[in-house]
Amino acid sequence: MTTNAANNNSEAELKAQLDRLGALRQAIAQAIVGQDDVVEQLLIGLLAGGHCLLEGVPGLGKTLLVRSLGQALELQFRRVQFTPDLMPSDILGTELLEEDHGTGHRHFRFQPGPIFTNLLLADELNRTPPKTQAALLEAMQERTVSYAGVTHTLPSPFFVLATQNPLEQAGTYPLPEAQLDRFLLHIRVGYPSEREEHDILQQTTGAHSAQVPRVMGGEDVLALQARVREVHLADDLLLWITRLVRASRPDEGGLLEVRQWVKWGAGPRAGQSLVLAAKARALLHGRFAATREDIAALAAPVMRHRLLLSFAAEAENKSADDVIAALLRGVPLPGAAQGG
């Protein structure tokens, strides 16, 4: 009886969590028109506990999207516009010298920077020098900020959404591959369809703006992140992920496209990210087992920023997505199973 009651409670709790996920997507949709794939990948990044890099031209609603996400989650949201003169202390924080007017005693007090938040939008990350980029990315990885020998823990959950403009490259500082690897997903934001663009114009030029309801809090997000790691991934799918990542390395001597177009392939972190992202997508779709489709849908967002292409690829106008498509075609799924 006790075991059955515990199972019933667990199932009821899981159903409630899945219902809240559905409500979260609906809440964001009240402010964001279209961009279903982008919204889904952002939520996957959040559930998997990773950070996301968005690439898209200005005016596609990237800032509105992350602000709407923060409103729906009842999480603190901050935005930092990255510029060439931005210093690490402008993001991480600094120490201020204060004086006690009663005793005259002076002491230093740490003033936290904007990184001490739940959702941080790092706008145009590639416009700030490497020193500032490195300071942000170190904090993203360690989830702490060390200053004057004291370690300060960042809030939990902590999610960084960085953007970069693919058009204007003058005066930019491209992120090194080792730092790009810190992002769980590299999300491409495209133009809306004609119908979606019509709806955007109608929604944003009227007298009333869309209101995003609050559907869950930070504790719910942390519970869902823990639930993601419980999602089942079959051994054959885990082996397929391993082979996909390894096949992206030209020295493995596999696919012709990889040998021709790739200079450096993805590292083990790509496999870890693909496993977690596939599990998160399964949970987002109401399933407790990941499938081949989950892996195929997320292979490009997980791997496109982890591949360094060769001059031959540039000459042939080939992208990382072309390589990943070749990997999905050329690396067979082990065994006969096609799902989770």
Side-chain angles (χ1 to χ4, degrees), residues 303-317:
M303 296 178 64
R304 61 167 57 112
H305 57 300
R306 294 181 161 100
L307 301 178
L308 181 59
L309 301 187
S310 65
F311 290 115
E314 296 180 16
E316 297 179 37
N317 199 27

Side-chain angles (χ1 to χ4, degrees), residues 151-214:
T151 299
H152 306 272
T153 303
L154 293 173
S156 186
F158 175 62
F159 181 54
V160 172
L161 172 60
T163 70
Q164 61 181 16
N165 184 344
L167 299 179
E168 302 173 21
Q169 297 302 321
T172 61
Y173 304 85
L175 289 169
E177 284 73 17
Q179 294 185 2
L180 283 172
D181 198 33
R182 305 290 183 181
F183 289 97
L184 179 82
L185 301 177
H186 180 186
I187 303 171
R188 294 263 171 83
V189 185
Y191 287 110
S193 66
E194 181 179 353
R195 181 62 195 176
E196 290 170 349
E197 193 158 355
H198 170 271
D199 293 342
I200 290 171
L201 297 179
Q202 186 177 55
Q203 180 173 306
T204 57
T205 58
H208 301 286
S209 59
Q211 298 296 320
V212 180
R214 297 179 176 180

Side-chain angles (χ1 to χ4, degrees), residues 256-280:
L256 176 63
E257 294 92 340
V258 172
R259 296 199 306 270
Q260 288 181 337
W261 299 338
V262 179
K263 186 175 182 181
W264 293 101
R269 190 178 281 134
Q272 295 170 333
S273 300
L274 190 49
V275 168
L276 286 174
K279 288 184 174 186

Side-chain angles (χ1 to χ4, degrees), residues 31 100 125 134 137 141 152 186 196 211 213 234 238 275 285 312 334:
D100 188 322
L125 181 57
L137 292 165
Q141 178 69 18
H152 306 272
H186 180 186
E196 290 170 349
Q211 298 296 320
L238 185 61
V275 168
H285 285 256

Side-chain angles (χ1 to χ4, degrees), residues 33-78:
V33 177
Q35 302 288 13
D36 293 338
D37 289 342
V38 175
V39 172
E40 176 170 290
Q41 290 173 28
L42 271 183
L43 293 178
I44 288 170
L46 181 69
L47 293 178
H51 310 290
C52 295
L53 177 66
L54 261 76
E55 184 174 278
V57 299
L60 296 180
K62 298 185 291 294
T63 302
L64 177 61
L65 175 56
V66 70
R67 182 179 288 115
S68 301
L69 181 62
Q71 291 172 348
L73 292 174
E74 295 187 84
L75 298 178
Q76 187 180 29
F77 163 73
R78 288 180 179 173

